[in-house]
Amino acid sequence: MEVLSLLESTFIVERYLFSTNQSGIFTCRDCRETQLLCFDMSVLGGFALKRIGVLTSGGDSPGMNAAIRAVVRKAIFHGLEVYGISYGYQGLINGDIKKMELGSVGDIIHRGGTMLYTARCEEFKTLEGQQKGIEQLKKFGIEGLVVIGGDGSYRGAQQLTKHGFPTIGVPGTIDNDIPGTDFTIGFDTALNTVIDAIDKIRDTATSHDRTYVIEVMGRHAGDLALWAGLADGAETIVIPEAEHNMEQILATIKRGQERGKKHSIIVVAEGVGSGMEFGDRISKEMNMETRVTVLGHIQRGGSPTGADRVLASRLGAKAVDLLLEGKAGMTVGIQKNELVYHPIDEILDQPHTIDQEMYKLSQELSI
């Protein structure tokens, strides 16, 4: 037991894995970093993975396939076996798991959606559901897991790590609402989809002298609305992170009319309210023809942009690297074009924020 004493003098023992007491989750007493370590009662060293799994969860986003491809090929490059789990945590509970080869991820890097499919799973939020999932992982001999998705997916990964199962999160969501990374997989593609739609709407708005309200996705985050609105020169951008005043919005439209402007574009994030409600009020109070376009799920589809393909490839490969290094309960990201990783616990505790300078700029340019 000398090795265990040495281990516990250096690390805080969070949990021994399963019932072997030969590997576990530990937090360094000095640097506070959580790691997965393995020992054989005589040698203390890194955890030698043999088999990992990968799943996608929550809403799909363009670039998820590129991330899956990176995880599979990076793992195989390092001599690991990889198992794909279909339909997210629901598929994990159901044992919808199959081995993946190099050819399994051929010709998918350019495709939207996710080849592993995705689903939301209320059962996995329960202890019983989590234990069912862990039993399936043990059944297939999977020793580490990469979870691609948003904050809900991260919460599942967090619970797996707490139960002693090493998991790494990869940010895949068009909302760009995951702290610890400048961009999430799918955001750039969705942004360009929104920009293309607004460009087309502006053409008809100009032709008919109409004001258009365009509702975009973003229940709790206004990144899509802010970036697209700035890129398309919207007169008003309404997002959850900033207070809006309907009187100011109406005043902006009126100022434009007074200088001869005959049309306006207003971009509204869905988390603020219904685009139809905004349109009805503008039409009523301004006595002007107003149209509303709800872009909806078109924002989630489509072939990922080059930026999303590269980002997904880098993040997916980094997730495998972290598992090989014995890391657990981490999420990967990119900040200032450098790959980074943070504890999932910290990421889930942080609120989403927007670039306030960018929001201020959007207001200055829409005078």
Side-chain angles (χ1 to χ4, degrees):
M1 301 302 290
E2 218 172 289
V3 172
L4 284 178
S5 298
L6 174 63
L7 185 72
E8 292 173 4
S9 68
T10 308
F11 296 92
I12 299 170
V13 180
E14 303 290 353
R15 181 179 295 273
Y16 287 111
L17 290 189
F18 309 132
S19 59
T20 65
N21 276 5
Q22 293 185 10
S23 60
I25 304 297
F26 304 91
T27 298
C28 177
R29 294 182 184 275
D30 293 328
C31 69
R32 312 302 295 178
E33 184 175 283
T34 300
Q35 300 184 48
L36 169 67
L37 295 177
C38 182
F39 48 91
D40 64 5
M41 305 311 291
S42 61
V43 178
L44 181 63
F47 180 58
L49 281 175
K50 295 181 180 178
R51 185 176 295 174
I52 68 171
V54 58
L55 64 79
T56 51
S57 173
D60 62 303
S61 64
M64 279 186 165
N65 279 328
I68 295 167
R69 175 181 180 271
V71 169
V72 171
R73 296 200 169 190
K74 177 75 168 180
I76 292 176
F77 176 83
H78 286 287
L80 305 181
E81 291 183 358
V82 191
Y83 281 73
I85 301 165
S86 298
Y87 298 103
Y89 292 116
Q90 189 63 61
L92 176 59
I93 290 173
N94 296 340
D96 195 348
I97 302 170
K98 63 180 180 181
K99 187 177 180 182
M100 304 187 77
E101 308 289 352
L102 287 175
S104 303
V105 292
D107 294 328
I108 67 168
I109 195 169
H110 62 290
R111 295 179 182 172
T114 163
M115 66 164 293
L116 290 176
Y117 308 101
T118 184
R120 303 190 189 277
C121 181
E122 291 298 316
E123 185 179 3
F124 201 76
K125 295 179 181 179
T126 68
L127 177 60
E128 182 182 2
Q130 293 157 18
Q131 290 173 337
K132 287 181 181 179
I134 290 174
E135 286 304 312
Q136 292 290 352
L137 291 169
K138 292 168 66 176
K139 175 183 175 181
F140 283 86
I142 296 171
E143 302 160 321
L145 183 65
V146 176
V147 173
I148 306 168
D151 59 348
S153 305
Y154 278 16
R155 294 188 189 282
Q158 179 188 45
Q159 292 305 311
L160 284 173
T161 300
K162 287 182 177 178
H163 292 312
F165 195 88
T167 308
I168 303 294
V170 176
T173 168
I174 68 168
D175 291 339
N176 205 43
D177 61 349
I178 303 295
T181 184
D182 293 339
F183 299 105
T184 58
I185 297 168
F187 173 69
D188 187 69
T189 306
L191 172 62
N192 279 279
T193 297
V194 174
I195 289 172
D196 183 62
I198 295 177
D199 286 346
K200 291 177 170 63
I201 290 170
R202 185 178 287 280
D203 289 342
T204 192
T206 303
S207 300
H208 291 271
D209 292 344
R210 288 173 179 162
T211 290
Y212 270 81
V213 176
I214 302 165
E215 181 186 312
V216 303
M217 284 187 169
R219 190 169 301 169
H220 304 293
D223 290 58
L224 265 181
L226 175 57
W227 284 64
L230 181 59
D232 261 304
E235 280 67 30
T236 301
I237 301 171
V238 189
I239 57 177
E241 297 89 345
E243 292 186 8
H244 70 277
N245 184 311
M246 196 65 192
E247 298 305 319
Q248 289 182 350
I249 295 174
L250 297 174
T252 299
I253 296 173
K254 187 174 182 180
R255 282 199 307 271
Q257 289 179 323
E258 289 173 349
R259 62 182 175 83
K261 190 173 181 64
K262 296 182 178 181
H263 68 275
S264 294
I265 297 292
I266 299 168
V267 180
V268 178
E270 64 179 348
V272 177
S274 164
M276 293 299 298
E277 293 175 359
F278 276 87
D280 288 344
R281 184 163 177 190
I282 292 169
S283 182
K284 180 186 294 185
E285 300 202 19
M286 296 295 294
N287 192 29
M288 62 189 305
E289 192 172 11
T290 305
R291 292 287 186 270
V292 178
T293 300
V294 179
L295 293 184
H297 286 81
I298 190 175
Q299 296 162 90
R300 280 197 188 161
S303 179
T305 61
D308 270 330
R309 298 182 199 191
V310 172
L311 176 63
S313 297
R314 295 178 70 186
L315 294 183
K318 182 64 175 178
V320 176
D321 283 337
L322 292 182
L323 285 175
L324 288 168
E325 292 168 12
K327 300 290 192 299
M330 297 289 171
T331 171
V332 295
I334 188 165
Q335 294 176 315
K336 298 180 180 178
N337 205 33
E338 295 289 335
L339 295 182
V340 297
Y341 63 91
H342 305 280
I344 290 179
D345 291 346
E346 291 182 10
I347 294 303
L348 291 176
D349 285 341
Q350 295 178 31
H352 170 68
T353 59
I354 60 161
D355 187 332
Q356 292 293 339
E357 287 299 315
M358 184 180 293
Y359 182 67
K360 181 181 177 182
L361 177 63
S362 73
Q363 293 178 309
E364 292 172 345
L365 299 184
S366 63
I367 58 172

